[in-house]
């Protein structure tokens, strides 16, 4: 559902092979200029966690985690207190980057793939500026399907697809190499197994840190929900969902040729039919609601970025909302 791509692609950023040059440098410069100054302050990064090092105590507020009650101070003052914690200084962040064929589509200002690379650049900058390590696992889909006719192609072969692991390292040079590898990854015309991709972050077991999953989450929730819940047991998890407006509703433009980038199937859709557009919008809304529900059940933070909006501003707003929620006693 909601995977159809218009045959005529919109104007986009430079192709994958070009992103390693001047275009990627401009993107990193944009991220540096925008995020520095907007996100200065506490050490906590994009998804502030409670940390593990003991800090000062303060009075209990509704919504605070009762597991952090400071009982000696509570007994002395006869007022409930909780122990604040300090964020760990050597944080390890891992990215799970889904580059299935459905990401090579966009009708807004960018392709969804461009937004994925941009989000990875922002996360990389936020991580390495504190001297922390960042690594990634990248899924690029299975091998290309075999075309059997003019309008149809054989289903892609089963399996997790091509999975690339980039070890976690610190330093700007290493982070730039990681980002270049993500930007230059070749998308295959199929869908990678998002559940298998997330599961790579569970093996081998790592010290507590931050795990970020970047995808359009169009794979069935039952495929990736359980691995995400397992990941949440040990790590703070952030899910970045990348969406294009045409995946939410169809425009009234008459007969629209569309192709499924994952299977290669080509169809002609009569978008002038209001009932068709309404059914499409209802099905897309139900699909996104199911994705949101699964992410909530997994306990993951949820950030939605759109190809027709300022993705950087949405990221800054998300960080501000997380920090505001944290001061009120909850980060979800």
């Amino acid at each position: 559902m909601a995977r159809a791509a218009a045959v005529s692609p919109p104007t986009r950023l430079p192709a994958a092979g070009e992103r390693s040059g001047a275009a990627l440098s401009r993107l990193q410069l944009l991220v540096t200029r925008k995020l520095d100054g907007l996100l200065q302050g506490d050490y906590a990064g994009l998804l502030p966690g409670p940390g593990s090092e003991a800090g000062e105590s303060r009075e209990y507020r509704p919504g605070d985690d009762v597991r952090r009650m400071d009982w000696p101070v509570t007994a002395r003052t006869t007022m409930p207190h909780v122990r604040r914690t300090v964020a760990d200084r050597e944080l390890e962040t891992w990215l799970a980057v889904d580059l299935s064929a459905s990401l090579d589509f966009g009708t807004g200002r960018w392709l969804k793939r461009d937004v994925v690379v941009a989000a990875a650049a922002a996360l990389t900058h936020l991580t390495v500026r504190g001297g922390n390590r960042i690594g990634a696992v990248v899924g690029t889909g299975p091998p290309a399907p075999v075309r059997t006719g003019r309008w149809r192609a054989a289903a892609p072969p089963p399996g997790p697809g091509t999975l690339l692991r980039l070890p976690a390292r610190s330093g700007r040079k290493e982070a730039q190499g990681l980002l270049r590898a993500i930007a230059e990854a070749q998308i295959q015309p199929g869908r990678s197994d998002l559940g298998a991709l997330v599961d790579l972050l569970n093996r081998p077991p790592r010290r507590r840190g931050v795990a970020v999953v970047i995808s359009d989450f169009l794979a069935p929730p039952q495929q990736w929900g359980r691995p995400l819940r397992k990941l949440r047991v040990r790590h703070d998890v952030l899910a970045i969902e990348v969406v294009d407006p045409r995946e939410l509703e169809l425009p009234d433009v008459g007969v629209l040729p569309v192709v499924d980038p994952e299977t290669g199937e080509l169809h002609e859709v009569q978008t002038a039919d209001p009932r068709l557009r309404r059914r499409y919008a209802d099905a897309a809304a139900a699909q996104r609601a199911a994705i949101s529900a699964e992410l909530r059940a997994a306990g993951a933070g949820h950030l939605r970025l759109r190809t027709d909006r300022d993705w950087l501003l949405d990221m800054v707003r998300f960080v501000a909302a997380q920090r505001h929620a944290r001061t009120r006693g909850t980060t979800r």
Side-chain angles (χ1 to χ4, degrees), residues 68-113:
R68 300 193 181 278
M69 293 292 295
D70 191 337
W71 296 112
V73 176
T74 299
R76 285 199 308 270
T77 63
T78 69
M79 294 289 293
H81 279 68
V82 293
R83 173 71 67 176
R84 302 181 65 180
T85 53
V86 181
D88 296 326
R89 301 305 294 184
E90 291 185 359
L91 185 69
E92 187 169 280
T93 299
W94 278 88
L95 309 179
V97 183
D98 177 18
L99 290 178
S100 298
S102 61
L103 274 297
D104 215 7
F105 164 64
T107 61
R109 299 165 61 183
W110 307 282
L111 295 185
K112 292 198 293 182
R113 176 185 178 135

Side-chain angles (χ1 to χ4, degrees), residues 220-252:
Q222 60 268 25
Q223 180 193 97
W224 48 264
R226 184 171 182 177
L228 203 64
R229 288 193 292 272
K230 182 180 177 182
L231 187 65
R232 180 63 182 88
V233 171
R234 191 172 182 84
H235 305 283
D236 291 323
V237 179
L238 171 63
I240 299 182
E241 179 190 7
V242 181
V243 182
D244 186 84
R246 293 289 77 83
E247 293 175 329
L248 305 178
E249 59 182 4
L250 287 174
D252 183 0

Side-chain angles (χ1 to χ4, degrees), residues 5 39 63 103 136 163 170 180 217 230 249 254 276 289 291-292 305:
L39 299 182
L103 274 297
L163 302 176
S170 60
R180 190 178 302 112
F217 291 95
K230 182 180 177 182
E249 59 182 4
L276 173 66
I291 293 172
S292 298
L305 302 179

Side-chain angles (χ1 to χ4, degrees), residues 57-73:
S57 294
R58 62 166 174 80
E59 287 190 13
Y60 172 87
R61 291 195 293 264
D64 285 339
D65 190 346
V66 295
R67 293 174 297 181
R68 300 193 181 278
M69 293 292 295
D70 191 337
W71 296 112
V73 176

Side-chain angles (χ1 to χ4, degrees), residues 192-211:
S192 58
D193 188 334
L194 184 57
L197 184 65
V198 173
D199 224 22
L200 284 180
L201 300 184
N202 289 315
R203 303 190 307 268
R206 301 180 178 88
R207 58 178 293 184
R208 180 178 174 85
V210 175

Side-chain angles (χ1 to χ4, degrees), residues 151-312:
W151 296 91
R152 299 182 64 84
T162 304
L163 302 176
L164 172 67
R165 184 190 294 272
L166 304 170
R169 295 190 174 98
S170 60
R172 293 188 178 275
K173 183 178 180 180
E174 287 74 13
Q176 289 174 356
L178 178 142
L179 185 60
R180 190 178 302 112
I182 294 174
E184 294 178 351
Q186 296 297 319
I187 290 182
Q188 304 293 337
R191 169 156 290 280
S192 58
D193 188 334
L194 184 57
L197 184 65
V198 173
D199 224 22
L200 284 180
L201 300 184
N202 289 315
R203 303 190 307 268
R206 301 180 178 88
R207 58 178 293 184
R208 180 178 174 85
V210 175
V212 183
V213 182
I214 311 176
S215 174
D216 54 11
F217 291 95
L218 292 182
Q222 60 268 25
Q223 180 193 97
W224 48 264
R226 184 171 182 177
L228 203 64
R229 288 193 292 272
K230 182 180 177 182
L231 187 65
R232 180 63 182 88
V233 171
R234 191 172 182 84
H235 305 283
D236 291 323
V237 179
L238 171 63
I240 299 182
E241 179 190 7
V242 181
V243 182
D244 186 84
R246 293 289 77 83
E247 293 175 329
L248 305 178
E249 59 182 4
L250 287 174
D252 183 0
V253 293
V255 178
L256 177 67
V258 295
V259 61
D260 188 332
E262 295 183 1
T263 65
E265 293 189 21
L266 184 64
H267 302 276
E268 289 185 349
V269 180
Q270 178 53 268
T271 61
D273 185 352
R275 293 174 299 178
L276 173 66
R277 298 198 307 273
R278 183 167 57 251
R279 290 199 304 270
Y280 183 92
D282 291 344
Q287 181 188 47
R288 296 298 164 179
I291 293 172
S292 298
E294 191 68 33
L295 293 176
R296 283 196 304 271
H302 184 192
L303 169 60
R304 179 174 292 172
L305 302 179
R306 293 174 52 125
T307 61
D308 60 340
R309 293 179 49 171
D310 187 340
W311 58 269
L312 199 52

